[in-house]
Amino acid sequence: REEYLKAARDAAEAGDPEFAVVMMDTGRNIKRLYHCRPEDYDKASSGCLPQSVVTPRETRKWAEIAARGGNPHAKNLLCTAHYFGTRTDWGFDGDKRKAVRWCFASEKTACSAGWNAGILAEMFERGEGTAKDPATASELRRQYPVPRAARPYLLFPETSR
């Protein structure tokens, strides 16, 4: 595992987006034990070894390389983590300008394009990280309407009765 991660790190540092995804996921999951074999579990740190190869704080760095390579999950992570600013342990500082950039990049490619368009619309409505622009916000909401299932006030299907 350590040899593989060192090779993946070298490839990611050289700009390989696929290996950057490996490093991004490893950095995010290192304390959660995802993909951790029993022989790699370290009781002292409650994490998955080898922690010396990648740290959670490097997650943003790897996500940026992967996103520049076109990875939609990395773009989505950069959009939401910068917007909400709750993952400082992964290297995200809550910079709304960066959120605007990555939400635009992920708006048409990520599985959660509608969600990211909603984040963008809110930022344009409030002027967070960008100039206030209600027209752009309105256009984003028109292109990506909120699904009926997400509207809490629609408890029953609409009928003609």
Side-chain angles (χ1 to χ4, degrees):
R1 182 171 168 87
E2 186 169 359
E3 290 173 13
Y4 170 75
L5 286 176
K6 284 181 180 179
R9 182 184 189 90
D10 290 343
E13 286 178 341
D16 187 311
E18 290 183 33
F19 283 106
V21 172
V22 170
M23 300 307 290
M24 175 184 76
D25 287 343
T26 303
R28 291 183 341 177
N29 299 334
I30 206 161
K31 293 285 186 184
R32 296 188 196 167
L33 310 180
Y34 295 159
H35 314 296
C36 187
R37 300 178 310 193
E39 60 268 24
D40 292 333
Y41 180 72
D42 178 42
K43 290 181 183 175
S45 65
S46 298
C48 194
L49 294 174
Q51 294 196 26
S52 60
V53 177
V54 63
T55 64
R57 188 96 181 123
E58 296 174 295
T59 299
R60 189 185 97 218
K61 169 185 167 181
W62 305 125
E64 287 174 352
I65 293 169
R68 283 192 299 269
N71 185 280
H73 299 293
K75 290 177 184 180
N76 183 56
L77 173 64
L78 289 163
C79 166
T80 57
H82 278 304
Y83 177 72
F84 292 109
T86 56
R87 296 313 311 233
T88 55
D89 55 327
W90 290 353
F92 295 100
D93 53 7
D95 186 335
K96 301 288 193 214
R97 290 184 313 260
K98 291 177 186 172
V100 169
R101 175 181 171 217
W102 290 111
C103 288
F104 262 121
S106 67
E107 169 210 358
K108 297 199 186 299
T109 60
C111 297
S112 54
W115 170 260
N116 294 345
I119 291 173
L120 271 173
E122 287 183 26
M123 287 191 285
F124 277 108
E125 286 169 351
R126 297 178 189 156
E128 295 178 329
T130 186
K132 200 170 189 177
D133 186 349
T136 300
S138 178
E139 179 60 20
L140 285 165
R141 293 206 189 280
R142 187 192 64 73
Q143 288 178 3
Y144 299 94
V146 177
R148 288 181 187 238
R151 297 179 188 159
Y153 56 85
L154 290 177
L155 299 177
F156 302 100
E158 294 178 358
T159 64
S160 60
R161 292 183 175 192

